[in-house]
Amino acid sequence: MIELRVLGATALTDPADGHELESVLAQPKRLALLAYLAIARPRGFHRRDSVLGLFWPEATEERARHALSQALYVLNRGMGPGVIQTRGDHEIGVDRNALWCDVVAFEEALNAGERAKAMELYQGELLSGFYVGEAREFERWLDGERSRLAAKAVDAAWELAEESERTGNGVEAGRWASKATSLAPYDEAGVRRIMELLARLCDSSGVLQEYEAFVKRLERDLGTVPAAETTALADRVRSGDALPREPAVTPEPAESQVSHAPDAGRAVARQSVAGGESTEDPPLAGDRWASSPRTPVRWFRPWTLIPVAGVLAAVVGLRVMGRSETGTGWEADPTRRVMVTVFENETGDADLDVLGRMAADWITQGLGETGLMEVVMPRTADEILVGLEAGAGTLSLGGEYRPLPEDEQVSTIVRGAYYRFGDSLTFQAHILDGRDASVLASLEPISTVEGAAHLAVVTLRERLAATLASLVDARLARWTQYGSKPPTLEAYAEFSKGLDAYLGSFDTRTAVERLLNAARADSSFTLPLLWVLWFPPTQETADSILAALESRRSSLPPLDRSLLDYHTASSAPAAYRAAFRVAELSPGSFFMYKAAKAALRGMNRPLEAIQFLQRADPDRGALRDWGLYWRVFVEAYHAAGDHERELATIQERIPDGLFPEVFALGAAGRIDDIEALLEPAPALINRTLTLGTAILLAAEELRAHGYSQHAAAMAARGFRWYDSVMPPRLNDYLIVTREWAYAGQLDRAGRLIDQMEEEFAERGVEAHWGVLGMRGVLAAMHGDRETALAYSERLEGLDHRPHLDWLLSTGKVRSWQARIALHLGERDRAMSLLREALLKGHNDASHLHMDPLLAPLWDDAEFRELMRPKG
């Protein structure tokens, strides 16, 4: 019988000889299809039409049916005939006598009341880390199944803990309670349950350790604090009131179970549930975990616990790896971290410098695409190896090895160089131990003619895969099936210059020209086209690129395919999932910044955005001197409520940070500091915004955080500034008009909108969503329902360009329609539109809470919950 394991690490084996069925595992969609047929409910046969909709939703019916037939053929060939079954022409399934699946066995064990057996089978979340980018319906089904099975595992662990406690087995009770809380680390009800368990063991220090660990976890990961009920429990323990005075009677334990060392027993129990502190906390699990139902338990004698020496080691191992419901969350592991240095150019020809960067980039990308290890951003060799002393097993560079900072430690370093001999180029690579730079392995030199240098990189990468497989992870032997092929040197050189133009000086015109040149120079090199989609010069250019890439989707490398998913996403969650996948495939790169933006502005998850940003190196590579990186970092700190770190980052990293500093000080209510900051500021802060804007933004931030009197004074100051110093400009008008509207000066706001619309028309720009939206709001505030609804309908006509920037299209439109509905007195419709705005990816989601046009909702519990950061 074939065995399929999908809880935790994925495996498909034939127990007859123990070998893995690699032909099935190699192709994600085939494995996904097999997993679906094996575990989808109701179990049995599934209609072909429903399977086609899950896995090939965009294909024609003919192509989808052909693809399904091919996949079933490969599955049958890989596993042997009979595993896949058909019933008539319309249904398919698996023979459960030929295929054993751990999910099915897990649920069968639970149904039979064999919870311990079930928990042995639950080794981690369903298809952990698995992703099929072009099957979004399958991804949604998979997310739901992950949550369902994880909740069952949590419930089973608590039931085992309660059963163990009832029978007087405190060690097992602690072990299962720890398992439950490790699976649901943010389930506060679960934390209280484990605290109560320790209290019943008279272990007050263990209770407080558990509480303090939870406090740290919430503060670090979610930016919040425990509920009052949890804190009150900890306070009662500190005073001694929570400990049981007279334990209830339980069945007497057998003599063999009795320990005559109560303190030792209590220590074991504390290790069982609090010992996990010696490991890293589990990754962010989002909001998916629901509280498990409580079952009353009886007191038992704490001295019946058995001091077992191996309990601590067993419980420490209960921490699990996983992602949140939307996909993020890592645990850094230096023992699985590899760095590829930029290859050194020893040819004497500076024009070939780009070749060293290309080699490092493509080896790094190939490693990242395997998903088997963490790969950090390439560095130059002399940043790591500064003259290593000659010696046995080391490179003779005449100096010393410079260890990396502690948070950048790596297990393995790939270092290389290339040389010119006549018309040929020769590559040499070494694999070094990250601890002391001793040589673990050296590759045979690879030579090629200069015009085919990119082909040498292919060979180099394949040989590195084989060598690393023997040193680091045997699964890397299959590396070459993951990696995309590097482009020609000419194409890569243009690509590199395009990135330099964009990232170095934000020269988008030159960047687009260079990137398009790169794509023309090598038609298989699709990454430059995906970069152009960040800043397309015209709608037609974007449409043309998307059409070309969609036609080649199945042949795109994994990174490119995930980027395409990001650009074509129709909702914030879809874009976020794609961004997470991109970050997985290219760890430590510029794409960590893009993933952070998707988390923050698309999903209102500032703590996850911070996680993404912290995994990139802002002082190296594409992010070096990229000011927008730090602005997103600051915005994430602000949304998370960490205003001290927000201010420190602004002062250290953003030299022209008046506007973000105003936000931070306003949220913290530091009125005097705001005054000191604004007093010497020049009238024109930068080429886009004025001091008047800064003053009004300070007013909005103060108002949003409860400082209403100071906000009113600040707003009046802003109005005086615009009256006496400088009239509002094009970039100021939205902020000024919404403040005037909030102050009841509707006619003045309307005149400014007239002026702005004329200026847009003079520039040949179509009606802007801000102009249309503000006109609709003003009409609603005047009581002109018909006009307000007309502007809301005109806004709908702008909702047609999600791929140019999914953060600036539908979400913006819906948020303005929500404002109009709110001022027409349609509160429920306004909330519905706001929810859709956030779902579609409103790029100012973290600032909606301070918008004065939404003031009627500020005291609404549903609105506050909608605005609350989600992770």
Side-chain angles (χ1 to χ4, degrees), residues 169-180:
N169 192 337
V171 171
E172 283 297 293
R175 185 170 76 87
W176 288 119
S178 181
K179 177 70 171 180

Side-chain angles (χ1 to χ4, degrees), residues 328-627:
T328 191
W330 289 285
E331 288 285 351
D333 182 0
T335 66
R336 309 289 300 164
R337 191 182 291 159
V338 177
M339 175 182 289
V340 184
T341 69
V342 176
F343 277 46
E344 298 167 77
N345 180 6
E346 301 291 348
T347 66
D349 184 351
D351 290 340
L352 292 178
D353 284 349
V354 69
L355 184 55
R357 179 175 164 185
M358 183 180 83
D361 279 353
W362 249 259
I363 293 169
T364 298
Q365 181 178 323
L367 276 171
E369 287 174 352
T370 67
L372 300 177
M373 60 184 58
E374 181 184 5
V375 192
V376 297
M377 187 175 292
R379 293 189 174 212
T380 57
D382 60 5
E383 288 182 275
I384 303 168
L385 304 164
V386 286
L388 186 65
E389 288 289 348
T394 64
L395 295 176
S396 178
L397 301 177
E400 294 181 353
Y401 169 63
R402 177 190 295 160
L404 292 166
E406 184 174 348
D407 61 349
E408 296 180 27
Q409 290 296 304
V410 296
S411 62
T412 312
I413 300 169
V414 176
R415 175 177 180 264
Y418 49 103
Y419 309 83
R420 173 181 276 153
F421 297 99
D423 294 332
S424 298
L425 290 175
T426 298
F427 289 80
Q428 176 75 62
H430 306 277
I431 299 173
L432 312 179
D433 189 315
R435 296 167 298 180
D436 57 12
S438 58
V439 178
L440 300 175
S442 293
L443 275 66
E444 289 293 322
I446 300 169
S447 297
T448 185
V449 295
E450 187 170 321
H454 64 293
L455 299 179
V457 174
V458 176
T459 305
L460 178 64
R461 187 169 66 175
E462 291 174 352
R463 291 189 184 177
L464 276 169
T467 307
L468 284 167
S470 64
L471 295 172
V472 181
D473 193 320
R475 292 173 294 174
L476 283 171
R478 300 198 302 270
W479 178 9
T480 53
Q481 64 188 313
Y482 292 97
S484 54
K485 301 302 182 187
T488 64
L489 185 56
E490 175 190 2
Y492 186 85
E494 284 293 297
F495 174 68
S496 181
K497 291 173 183 176
L499 293 191
D500 288 343
Y502 174 58
L503 299 171
S505 58
F506 214 72
D507 181 356
T508 56
R509 173 178 289 185
T510 300
V512 167
E513 180 183 346
R514 293 287 193 180
L515 292 169
L516 291 177
N517 285 344
R520 295 187 192 103
D522 186 340
S523 61
S524 66
F525 190 24
T526 49
L527 188 58
L529 296 176
L530 289 154
W531 271 89
V532 171
L533 289 175
W534 298 121
F535 39 86
T538 65
Q539 176 71 29
E540 291 71 25
T541 301
D543 289 341
S544 176
I545 290 173
L546 284 166
L549 292 173
E550 284 289 359
S551 68
R552 302 168 57 183
R553 176 182 282 274
S554 61
S555 63
L556 292 177
L559 176 65
D560 297 26
R561 191 162 56 246
S562 297
L563 282 170
L564 181 58
D565 289 339
Y566 176 88
H567 285 298
T568 57
S570 59
S571 69
Y576 174 71
R577 286 192 295 269
F580 174 80
R581 179 61 173 162
V582 170
E584 279 187 324
L585 294 173
S586 188
S589 71
F590 175 83
F591 297 123
M592 306 303 287
Y593 160 78
K594 289 293 186 180
K597 285 183 65 177
L600 176 65
R601 297 180 178 176
M603 298 295 291
N604 195 15
R605 302 185 74 89
L607 290 165
E608 290 188 6
I610 291 169
Q611 284 185 335
F612 279 121
L613 294 170
Q614 287 175 336
R615 292 180 65 83
D617 186 344
D619 297 317
R620 296 192 46 76
L623 288 173
R624 179 183 289 171
D625 300 324
W626 183 248

Side-chain angles (χ1 to χ4, degrees), residues 835-855:
R835 280 191 290 271
E836 187 177 354
L838 296 182
L839 176 67
K840 293 296 184 181
H842 189 298
N843 81 323
D844 286 330
S846 59
H847 296 306
L848 284 174
H849 73 284
M850 58 182 276
D851 187 341
L853 298 180
L854 297 175

Side-chain angles (χ1 to χ4, degrees), residues 799 810-811 814 831-841:
D799 183 10
T810 310
R814 294 292 180 266
M831 286 300 304
S832 176
L833 287 164
L834 279 176
R835 280 191 290 271
E836 187 177 354
L838 296 182
L839 176 67
K840 293 296 184 181

Side-chain angles (χ1 to χ4, degrees), residues 115-127:
R115 290 184 291 271
K117 178 181 177 181
M119 294 307 296
E120 289 179 7
L121 291 164
Y122 192 84
Q123 295 296 308
E125 85 171 357
L126 174 64
L127 287 171

Side-chain angles (χ1 to χ4, degrees), residues 42-378:
R43 304 236 159 88
F45 286 91
H46 307 277
R47 290 192 59 82
R48 285 179 181 260
D49 290 344
S50 63
V51 173
L52 295 178
L54 278 176
F55 291 96
W56 295 276
E58 307 298 331
T60 64
E61 183 176 358
E62 181 181 356
R63 289 186 60 188
R65 289 188 177 279
H66 176 72
L68 175 58
S69 297
Q70 285 292 105
L72 295 176
Y73 170 77
V74 173
L75 289 176
N76 269 323
R77 186 179 62 186
M79 296 186 296
V83 177
I84 302 296
Q85 294 186 322
T86 61
R87 188 164 65 183
D89 295 331
H90 304 293
E91 293 182 310
I92 54 177
V94 296
D95 182 356
R96 304 207 175 275
N97 294 318
L99 180 74
W100 177 92
C101 177
D102 57 353
V103 170
V104 177
F106 168 74
E107 295 199 274
E108 287 177 347
L110 288 179
N111 293 336
E114 299 174 338
R115 290 184 291 271
K117 178 181 177 181
M119 294 307 296
E120 289 179 7
L121 291 164
Y122 192 84
Q123 295 296 308
E125 85 171 357
L126 174 64
L127 287 171
S128 179
F130 192 77
Y131 178 78
V132 181
E134 61 272 28
R136 295 173 186 171
E137 290 302 317
F138 170 77
E139 286 290 322
R140 279 193 280 272
W141 171 84
L142 180 58
D143 284 345
E145 286 297 292
R146 281 172 174 162
S147 298
R148 184 182 70 85
L149 293 169
K152 284 194 169 196
V154 172
D155 288 346
W158 277 119
E159 289 165 4
L160 286 165
E162 291 161 356
E163 181 182 335
S164 298
E165 186 176 7
R166 284 193 296 271
T167 59
N169 192 337
V171 171
E172 283 297 293
R175 185 170 76 87
W176 288 119
S178 181
K179 177 70 171 180
T181 53
S182 70
L183 289 172
Y186 305 101
D187 175 12
E188 193 154 356
V191 171
R192 286 196 294 271
R193 290 173 78 176
I194 205 168
M195 291 169 65
E196 290 163 356
L197 171 64
L198 286 168
R200 292 193 293 273
L201 300 179
C202 299
D203 185 1
S204 58
S205 66
V207 175
L208 296 178
Q209 285 179 21
E210 191 68 33
Y211 172 73
E212 288 160 5
F214 183 61
V215 170
K216 292 177 183 177
R217 201 154 62 236
L218 286 184
E219 180 181 4
R220 183 190 64 232
D221 296 343
L222 304 179
T224 186
V225 296
E229 182 182 354
T230 309
T231 302
L233 176 58
D235 290 341
R236 290 199 302 272
V237 170
R238 289 190 184 96
S239 66
D241 293 341
L243 298 179
R245 301 304 186 207
E246 295 183 10
V249 177
T250 61
E252 286 293 331
E255 181 66 28
S256 61
Q257 291 180 308
V258 176
S259 166
H260 300 287
D263 292 337
R266 287 162 55 185
V268 170
R270 180 163 61 248
Q271 289 173 341
S272 297
V273 290
E277 282 297 290
S278 63
T279 67
E280 295 184 5
D281 287 321
L284 193 62
D287 305 317
R288 78 177 178 198
W289 303 110
S291 299
S292 303
R294 296 190 178 197
T295 304
V297 296
R298 293 187 293 170
W299 299 107
F300 69 100
R301 292 183 174 90
W303 50 85
T304 63
L305 295 175
I306 309 170
V308 181
V311 169
L312 176 59
V315 174
V316 168
L318 293 177
R319 301 288 185 177
V320 296
M321 292 288 290
R323 296 190 299 175
S324 69
E325 65 185 26
T326 47
T328 191
W330 289 285
E331 288 285 351
D333 182 0
T335 66
R336 309 289 300 164
R337 191 182 291 159
V338 177
M339 175 182 289
V340 184
T341 69
V342 176
F343 277 46
E344 298 167 77
N345 180 6
E346 301 291 348
T347 66
D349 184 351
D351 290 340
L352 292 178
D353 284 349
V354 69
L355 184 55
R357 179 175 164 185
M358 183 180 83
D361 279 353
W362 249 259
I363 293 169
T364 298
Q365 181 178 323
L367 276 171
E369 287 174 352
T370 67
L372 300 177
M373 60 184 58
E374 181 184 5
V375 192
V376 297
M377 187 175 292

